[in-house]
C-alpha cells in the first residue's frame, strides 16, 4: 500500500523545485483512495501535518499520490487517513487502460451508475422529482407530507458522507473545507424550511464532485495507457546441447543478457538489441512515430512497441523496471504530480478563502439582523431573510471550480503532449515553456544528424554536379569499391561510406578488401581482385602515385565537406564528399517556429568553427543569432546572456555535453528518442528524436496558459456575478447550486479540450 524510500539527493532536474527540510530520514509514498475533489488533497495535507515528526506533506488529487517526509510511522499515517475518511490503494492493483474516446459517453454514464455515492445521488434526485410530481397531482396535505419526507431523507442520506467529511476535516485537520460549507448550507436550508433547496444542494454537489473525480480519472489515462503497454509475460529462449527451448516467464523477471522471442503481433517485453530476424516495429505508442520502423540484426528496440511482421530474437539490455516504458511511466506520473505556479497560488488562496467565506456569511447574517433589525428568516411576500442569503453565499462562494480548473487543464495538456511524443516533466515546466522568447539550438546532433553521411559522389568521367542521390553507373562503382575497403574500419567516415553503399544496394558488389592498411589521418588502402584500392585524401593519393588533374572535383566544398578520393592502382576513379548532414526536419521546424510566433527568436550555439556554423545556418534559412567555437562553459554563458537580452530561453541539445547549458536555460529540451540520461536531466524530452515536434509543444504550452487563464476567469467571474445577486436577495439557493456546479462543469470541459489540442 505504501513504501518508504531513503531521501535522495537533488538532481539538476529538481533545480526548480521548492527546497524541503533535509533533516528527514525518509519519504513515504502511497496511493490514496476516496478523494472526490481538489479540496480533499488540501484536507489530507493539513490533517497529516498535525502528526508529530511530519516535516512535509504533498498530496496530488489528479494522480491520487501522497508523499510524507519525516520521522513518522506508516501506521500513524494510515490511521489519520482513515480518520479523515480516506484509504490507501490495494497493493499490486492492476492498472487498466481506458477505452477509446468514442466510448467516453458510455464510460461516463457507467461511472455515475457504479459509484455508490453517485448512484445514491441520482436515486435521491429522482425520488425528489417524483415526489414533487405527486405533490402536484395528489391532495395537498398528503402530498406535502410525502414531499417533505422525500426531501428530508435525500438531504440526510445523500448528504451524510459530505457531512461526515466536513466534520472530520474540522476535527482532525483544523480546516474549514468545501464539505463543511455544504453541510452548513444543507442543514441551514432544512432549518428555515427550504428542504427543496437543501436537497438540491446535496444532490448537485455530490454529482459535481463525481464529475471532478471522473475528469481526474480521464486525465490519468496517459499513465494507465503507458503501464498497459508493458507485457505481463515474455517468451524466453534457452539453448542447451545444441537445442533451443522456449518457455513463458513473467516479463518482470527478465534480466540483461536474456534472449527472448517476439512473434508477429506481440509487444516487445523489454528494451534490447535484435540478434536474429527481420521485421517492422510499430513505435507509435512509445515515441509518437506514426510509421513502423524496419528492424534487423544489430538494431535497438524499445519495450512496449509492437512487432508487426516477422519473428525477432532480441537480447535484453535493461531489466523491466528500467525499461523505456517504465521510465516514461515514472516520469509521466511525476510530471502529473508537479504543480504549476498557478496551482500553488490557487492552493494557498483556497486555504484562507474558504474560512473567510464562512466569516463573511456570518457577518452577512449578523450585521443586518443585529445592527439594523433586519429579518433573520424570510417572511411571506417579502424579500428573502438574511439567514437565507447567508446560506446562498456559502454555496455560491464554494471554490470547487477554482480548485479543479487548473489541474485538469495542465494534466490534459501533459497527456496530449505525451501522445505527440513530447514528454514534459510537469506543470511548472509547461508554464515556462509557454513563456519562452528565444530557442537556442546546439548544432551537432540537434540541427544536424551528429554523424557523418555521404552528401556527394562524383566519378572522374562524370560531368554532373556532385550529388549523393545521382543514379550513375560510374558513381556506383566508386562507392562500391570504397565500401569494400572501408568495411573493416570503425572510423565514422567509413561507416558513412558503407551505409551509402547499402542504401544503393551495392554492399555485396565486391567482397571485403584484403590486406587493409590504415594510413593515419589520410585514409585506408586494401586489395580487391588483385588491384590496389586507396580511399583517402589527396596526400594519400600522391603517396600511391595517383593524382587528380588541376580543377578536378572542383564541385566539392572542402570547408564544408571531407573529400575522400578513390583510386584503383594509379588511376583516380572519383571522389566522395562526407559531412554532418542536416536533420531532414530541421529547416521546416525552424520555419514552423517562426510562423507560429513571429516574435520568437532562434539562436545556434556550436563548438565548431565560425565558417562551419555559418554554412549550416545558410542551409537552415534564417537563424537570428549564431555563436561558434563554444566550449560547454561558453554555451552556459551564452544562454545566460540570451536570457538577459531577450527573456526566457529554451535550450535544445543532446543532454550530455550540453548539460550545463540545459541546466542554465529556463527550459532544457533533450533529443534522443527516450534515452535514459536525456529523460532524467531535461525538462522536456522529444521522444521521437524529431525537431518537428517542437513547434507543436510550444503551441500546446501557450494554449494551456490561455485555457488556465480562461478557467480562472470563469470560476471567479461566476462567483462574483452571483455574489452580487446574493447580497440583495436576488439569488436563490437553487441558482447558487446551479452556479457552483455549472462553473465546475464549464472549467472541467474547457480544460479537457486540451486532450484534443492541435
Amino acid at each position: 500500500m505504501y513504501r518508504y524510500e531513503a531521501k535522495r539527493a537533488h538532481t539538476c532536474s529538481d533545480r526548480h523545485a521548492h527546497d524541503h527540510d533535509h533533516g528527514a530520514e525518509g519519504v513515504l509514498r502511497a496511493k490514496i483512495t476516496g478523494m472526490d475533489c481538489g479540496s480533499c488533497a488540501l484536507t489530507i495535507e493539513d490533517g497529516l501535518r498535525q502528526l508529530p515528526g511530519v516535516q512535509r506533506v504533498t498530496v496530488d488529487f489528479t494522480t491520487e499520490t501522497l508523499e510524507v517526509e519525516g520521522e513518522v510511522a506508516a501506521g500513524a499515517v494510515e490511521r489519520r487517513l482513515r480518520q479523515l475518511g480516506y484509504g490507501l490503494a490495494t497493493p499490486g492493483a492492476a492498472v487498466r487502460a481506458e477505452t477509446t474516446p468514442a466510448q467516453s459517453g458510455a464510460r461516463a454514464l457507467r461511472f455515475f451508475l457504479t459509484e455508490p455515492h453517485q448512484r445514491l445521488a441520482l436515486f435521491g434526485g429522482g425520488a425528489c422529482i417524483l415526489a414533487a410530481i405527486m405533490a402536484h397531482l395528489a391532495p395537498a396535505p398528503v402530498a406535502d407530507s410525502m414531499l417533505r419526507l422525500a426531501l428530508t431523507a435525500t438531504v440526510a442520506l445523500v448528504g451524510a458522507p459530505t457531512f461526515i467529511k466536513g466534520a472530520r476535516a474540522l476535527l482532525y485537520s483544523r480546516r474549514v473545507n468545501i464539505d463543511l460549507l455544504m453541510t452548513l448550507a444543507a442543514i441551514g436550508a432544512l432549518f428555515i424550511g427550504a428542504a427543496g433547496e437543501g436537497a438540491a444542494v446535496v444532490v448537485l454537489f455530490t454529482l459535481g464532485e463525481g464529475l471532478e473525480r471522473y475528469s481526474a480519472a480521464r486525465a490519468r489515462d496517459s499513465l494507465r495507457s503507458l503501464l498497459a503497454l508493458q507485457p505481463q509475460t515474455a517468451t524466453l529462449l534457452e539453448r542447451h546441447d545444441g537445442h533451443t527451448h522456449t518457455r513463458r516467464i513473467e516479463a518482470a523477471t527478465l534480466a540483461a543478457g536474456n534472449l527472448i522471442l517476439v512473434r508477429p503481433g506481440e509487444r516487445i517485453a523489454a528494451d534490447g538489441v535484435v540478434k536474429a530476424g527481420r521485421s517492422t516495429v510499430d513505435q507509435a505508442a512509445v515515441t509518437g512515430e506514426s510509421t513502423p520502423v524496419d528492424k534487423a540484426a544489430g538494431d535497438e528496440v524499445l519495450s512496449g512497441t509492437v512487432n508487426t511482421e516477422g519473428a525477432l530474437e532480441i537480447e535484453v539490455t535493461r531489466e523491466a523496471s528500467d525499461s523505456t516504458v517504465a521510465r516514461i511511466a515514472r516520469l509521466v506520473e511525476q510530471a502529473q504530480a508537479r504543480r504549476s505556479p498557478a496551482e500553488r497560488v490557487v492552493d494557498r488562496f483556497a486555504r484562507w478563502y474558504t474560512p473567510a467565506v464562512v466569516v463573511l456569511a456570518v457577518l452577512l447574517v449578523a450585521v443586518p439582523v443585529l445592527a439594523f433589525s433586519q429579518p433573520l428568516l424570510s417572511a411571506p411576500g417579502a424579500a428573502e431573510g438574511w439567514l437565507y442569503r447567508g446560506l446562498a453565499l456559502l454555496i455560491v462562494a464554494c471554490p470547487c471550480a477554482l480548485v479543479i480548473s487548473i489541474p485538469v487543464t495542465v494534466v490534459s495538456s501533459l497527456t496530449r503532449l505525451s501522445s505527440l511524443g513530447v514528454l514534459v516533466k510537469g506543470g511548472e515546466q509547461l508554464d515556462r515553456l509557454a513563456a519562452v522568447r528565444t530557442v537556442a539550438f546546439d548544432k551537432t546532433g540537434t540541427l544536424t544528424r551528429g554523424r557523418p553521411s555521404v552528401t556527394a559522389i562524383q566519378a572522374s568521367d562524370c560531368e554532373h554536379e556532385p550529388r549523393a542521390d545521382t543514379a550513375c553507373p560510374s558513381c556506383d562503382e566508386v562507392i562500391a569499391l570504397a565500401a569494400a575497403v572501408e568495411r573493416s574500419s570503425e572510423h565514422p567516415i567509413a561507416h558513412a561510406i558503407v551505409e551509402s553503399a547499402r542504401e544503393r544496394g551495392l554492399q555485396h558488389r565486391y567482397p571485403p578488401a584484403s590486406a587493409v592498411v590504415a594510413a593515419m589521418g589520410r585514409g585506408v588502402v586494401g586489395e580487391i581482385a588483385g588491384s590496389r584500392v586507396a580511399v583517402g585524401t589527396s596526400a594519400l593519393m600522391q603517396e600511391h602515385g595517383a593524382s587528380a588533374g588541376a580543377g578536378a572535383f572542383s564541385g566539392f566544398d572542402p570547408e564544408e565537406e571531407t573529400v575522400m578520393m578513390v583510386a584503383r592502382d594509379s588511376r583516380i576513379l572519383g571522389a566522395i564528399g562526407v559531412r554532418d548532414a542536416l536533420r531532414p526536419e530541421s529547416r521546416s521546424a525552424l520555419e514552423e517556429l517562426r510562423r507560429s510566433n513571429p516574435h520568437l527568436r532562434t539562436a545556434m550555439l556550436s563548438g565548431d568553427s565560425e565558417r562551419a556554423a555559418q554554412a549550416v545556418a545558410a542551409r537552415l534559412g534564417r537563424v537570428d543569432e549564431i555563436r561558434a567555437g563554444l566550449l560547454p562553459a561558453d554555451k552556459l554563458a551564452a544562454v545566460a546572456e540570451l536570457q538577459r537580452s531577450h527573456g526566457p530561453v529554451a535550450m535544445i541539445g543532446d543532454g550530455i555535453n550540453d548539460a550545463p547549458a540545459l541546466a542554465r536555460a529556463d527550459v532544457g529540451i533533450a533529443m534522443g528518442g527516450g534515452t535514459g540520461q536525456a529523460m532524467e536531466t531535461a525538462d522536456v524530452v522529444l521522444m521521437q528524436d524529431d525537431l518537428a515536434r517542437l513547434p507543436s509543444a510550444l503551441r500546446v504550452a501557450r494554449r494551456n496558459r490561455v485555457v488556465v487563464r480562461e478557467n480562472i476567469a470563469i470560476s471567479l467571474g461566476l462567483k462574483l456575478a452571483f455574489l452580487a445577486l446574493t447580497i440583495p436577495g436576488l439569488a436563490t439557493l437553487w441558482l447558487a447550486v446551479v452556479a457552483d456546479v455549472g462553473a465546475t462543469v464549464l472549467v472541467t470541459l474547457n480544460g479537457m479540450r486540451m486532450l484534443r489540442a492541435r
Side-chain angles (χ1 to χ4, degrees), residues 171-471:
L171 178 62
Y172 296 108
S173 298
R174 311 290 192 270
R175 185 169 187 274
V176 177
N177 68 353
I178 295 171
D179 298 297
L180 190 59
L181 289 186
M182 294 300 105
T183 299
L184 295 175
I187 294 176
L190 288 180
F191 175 75
I192 64 175
E197 284 91 336
V201 167
V202 296
V203 169
L204 292 180
F205 176 71
T206 299
L207 295 177
E209 283 194 326
L211 178 63
E212 291 185 55
R213 185 189 294 184
Y214 174 71
S215 64
R218 285 289 309 275
R220 286 189 288 269
D221 280 357
S222 62
L223 179 60
R224 293 178 177 180
S225 299
L226 280 171
L227 293 178
L229 291 177
Q230 302 180 84
Q232 299 300 308
T233 60
T235 302
L236 183 68
L237 284 175
E238 297 176 310
R239 293 190 170 95
H240 302 291
D241 303 325
H243 298 284
T244 301
H245 306 278
T246 63
R247 62 185 176 94
R248 299 293 289 179
I249 64 169
E250 294 290 326
T253 63
L254 288 173
N258 287 158
L259 194 65
I260 60 174
L261 174 66
V262 183
R263 299 180 177 89
E266 292 183 340
R267 287 195 182 275
I268 297 173
D271 292 356
V273 176
V274 177
K275 287 299 181 182
R278 190 178 190 90
S279 183
T280 56
V281 174
D282 183 355
Q283 302 183 151
V286 178
T287 68
E289 194 162 4
S290 57
T291 57
V293 180
D294 291 334
K295 297 293 183 180
D299 292 334
E300 294 184 355
V301 291
L302 303 177
S303 61
T305 57
V306 180
N307 179 27
T308 61
E309 294 180 351
L312 295 175
E313 292 185 12
I314 298 170
E315 181 180 338
V316 175
T317 55
R318 295 190 189 98
E319 60 185 28
S321 62
D322 193 39
S323 69
T324 298
V325 169
R327 292 200 308 272
I328 295 173
R330 286 196 297 269
L331 291 171
V332 169
E333 186 173 29
Q334 292 167 11
Q336 291 180 341
R338 288 173 180 162
R339 297 173 184 172
S340 68
E343 287 179 89
R344 291 196 292 269
V345 170
V346 167
D347 284 349
R348 289 195 294 269
F349 176 73
R351 289 187 187 279
W352 64 262
Y353 170 82
T354 309
V357 165
V358 175
V359 173
L360 180 60
V362 171
L363 293 176
L364 182 65
V365 175
V367 172
V369 172
L370 299 179
F372 301 101
S373 300
Q374 294 291 310
L376 177 66
L377 303 176
S378 303
E384 299 292 355
W386 287 98
L387 180 57
Y388 186 95
R389 301 181 200 190
L391 296 176
L393 175 63
L394 288 178
I395 299 172
V396 166
C398 177
C400 286
L402 185 62
V403 171
I404 195 64
S405 63
I406 301 175
V408 71
T409 305
V410 170
V411 175
S412 295
S413 299
L414 295 175
T415 300
R416 177 59 179 150
L417 286 171
S418 68
S419 71
L420 294 173
V422 180
L423 179 61
V424 181
K425 295 289 187 70
E428 184 172 355
Q429 289 81 354
L430 186 65
D431 189 66
R432 293 201 308 270
L433 188 62
V436 163
R437 294 292 174 266
T438 302
V439 181
F441 296 86
D442 171 51
K443 181 180 76 69
T444 304
T446 302
L447 292 169
T448 66
R449 292 182 180 275
R451 60 183 185 274
S453 61
V454 172
T455 54
I457 306 170
Q458 187 179 35
S460 301
D461 55 358
C462 290
E463 297 181 358
H464 62 72
E465 290 293 320
R467 292 181 58 185
D469 57 353
T470 303

Side-chain angles (χ1 to χ4, degrees), residues 208-209 211-212 400-402 404 739-749:
E209 283 194 326
L211 178 63
E212 291 185 55
C400 286
L402 185 62
I404 195 64
D740 177 59
V741 176
T744 301
V745 171
L746 283 176
V747 299
T748 299
L749 295 179

